[in-house]
Amino acid sequence: MQNGEIAGLFLELADLLEIQGSNPFRIRAYRNAARTIENETESFELIVKNSPEELQSFSGIGKDLAEKIVHVVETGSFSQLEELRNEIPVGVVQMLRLPGIGPKKVGAMYRELALTTIDELKAAAEQGQISELKGFAKKTEESILKGIEHLAEMGNRALLAEAKAQVDFIIEDLSQLDSVQKISVAGSCRRRKETVGDLDLLISSDNSEEAMETLKEHPLVSEVLQQGKTKQRVRLNTGLEMDLRVVPENSYGAAMQYFTGSKEHNIVMRKKAQERGWKLNEYGLFEGEKQIAGDSEEEIYTQLGLEWIPPELREDRGEFEASEKGTLPKLIELKDICADLHMHTTASDGTASIKEMAEAAKKLGWKYISITDHSKRVTMANGLDEKRLRKHWENIRKVQEEIKGIDILCGIECDILEDGTMDLSEEVLLEADWVVAVLHYGLKQPKEKINQRLLNAIRCPAVTAIGHLTGRLVNRRKGADMDMDDIFKAASDYGVMMEINAHPKRLDLNDLHARKARDMGIPIVINTDAHSTKGFDVMQYGIFQARRAGLEKKDVANTRTLKQFRKMLRTSR
Ligand SMILES: [Zn+2]
Ligand SMILES: [Zn+2]
């Protein structure tokens, strides 16, 4: 069990307690503990196994919490959390997914208006009951209604990072069984889509019963919805549903191909089989009754005259043509990355020092990083003004003198203000090694205005890259409206790079935009936007997004040496 999963349970507990209206100090204590656990580089699972007495040496972890942590590691949960999960209706917890609505507000609506489902909430908001509650404005009521509409469009989808963490945990446990020969996730999770509707897990095994019994008892599973001889459907604690399918070994590749999808990709696959007088299904590729391929995906693709197509590209967006011609991209991999150009420290809203971030990055094998704390417009994150920024850079240079083996660039994440000017003077920005310009505020401005802001930033000679371009939050907030052609054209003309922000909630650029930017000759940077040393872990999601865009190592600037990277920066630098 990873620290992030353990922390997640305590954050869930804190949310449920807040909904229930418990003592704020207790709630804060659990949140602080969760943060401690999440930011700790040592594995809590190992601490529990080797020296549980050490738990109480961590800040904010007392006897009670230490006991709960031991329980979590041993059983995947603890009784207080289970009781609250039973007590508070699922519909109430779902309200937390509405943008701008936290547990405090959800708790007020649940306790004072007895609202227990999203439908009831919608009716109450439409009747104006919400804005009559203490602490709720008319605007909150409107944004609740908008949020409900958006939620309906999204359906009950989870972020890839959440879904993947859960299925990886289950795979780790099921793969311990002797009767399980092969195991893998399929479906949209394997294609690394930004969100996942439900999970598909495939196993090749000669004892399907053992796998199903084990899954049924797994700490992440809350109930079995359906069970047959070779298929089991379960609901996870998070509400996400998962199908487990047990297939014979000689059909494993066919099943992987079939259940990985996408639907559009598989339509073409079946057509290609039909053209040859064959039949393709989840059991194999058949000529009459005879199976001519099935135990591996590669075999199936080869029989159909294709090179094996990476799952991230299976969307019927040109991958078949490329596969036939032998021009499939050699997709970028995590190991190709050797730098990260967007991260925060305690100077703004990060939790680690410059040195801690640099050392953690070095441990990952990265060769250079850029420290990019917030500019002053972001007051709630303690953004830097010109004076503090210069002092911060001085500190960075001092750290650089103490630490070898990694280069630290003096950077800044500079806001593009609502009026289209930069938050800091051009003079100070030109002193930076690296400037990521971003929109944080005024995302709802009309398209022309947003375009103008971005074009201004791109034309500012100090700006080296645009970060999280649209400002969208996956499943929660649509990004700013803009004309991508205009923006990318300008970025390409002025030599400004574009970021894929790897944070699972952002993943901005999306796959199509990243592909377009690359096609227009713009170097892409994949950055974590880490706010702690643990924050570097999300780099993989940026890589997934880049792979879905068909990006290769050469398309991504932070795969280069610092020397090469510097040469790619705009010439005015
Ligand atoms: Zn930002
Ligand atoms: Zn940032």
Side-chain angles (χ1 to χ4, degrees), residues 342 344 374 413 529 531:
H342 185 162
H344 299 264
H374 286 291
E413 174 174 13
D529 205 348
H531 283 69

Side-chain angles (χ1 to χ4, degrees), residues 101-127:
I101 304 297
K104 195 170 164 192
K105 285 207 163 69
V106 170
M109 298 188 292
Y110 168 53
R111 296 194 313 271
E112 289 171 40
L113 297 174
L115 303 175
T116 59
T117 65
I118 299 272
D119 285 344
E120 287 172 10
L121 172 60
K122 187 170 177 225
E126 281 166 352
Q127 289 162 18

Side-chain angles (χ1 to χ4, degrees), residues 46 73 107 130 160 164 185 208-209 221 229-230 238 268 289 292 300 314 350-351 400 417 432 435 462 486 496 501 571:
L46 287 181
V73 170
I130 304 294
L160 173 65
K164 187 174 177 294
V185 68
S208 59
E209 222 167 275
V221 171
K229 250 181 106 64
T230 56
T238 52
V268 180
E289 294 291 298
I292 50 176
I300 294 169
R314 298 183 194 171
T351 59
Q400 178 72 84
L417 300 178
V435 177
D486 277 8
V496 169
N501 190 295
T571 44

Side-chain angles (χ1 to χ4, degrees), residues 322-335:
S323 172
E324 272 160 3
K325 279 192 262 164
T327 57
L328 277 173
K330 188 180 175 330
L331 297 180
I332 182 166
E333 293 175 39
L334 185 56
K335 66 171 171 51

Side-chain angles (χ1 to χ4, degrees), residues 414-417 420-422 426 429 435-439 450-466 490 494 496 570:
C414 186
D415 262 64
I416 308 167
L417 300 178
T421 59
M422 298 300 288
E426 197 173 306
L429 291 177
V435 177
V436 193
V438 296
L439 303 173
I450 296 279
N451 252 26
Q452 204 48 57
R453 286 168 76 187
L454 284 161
L455 293 177
N456 285 354
I458 289 168
R459 287 177 196 137
C460 169
V463 170
T464 45
I466 302 289
Y494 286 87
V496 169
R570 68 193 299 176

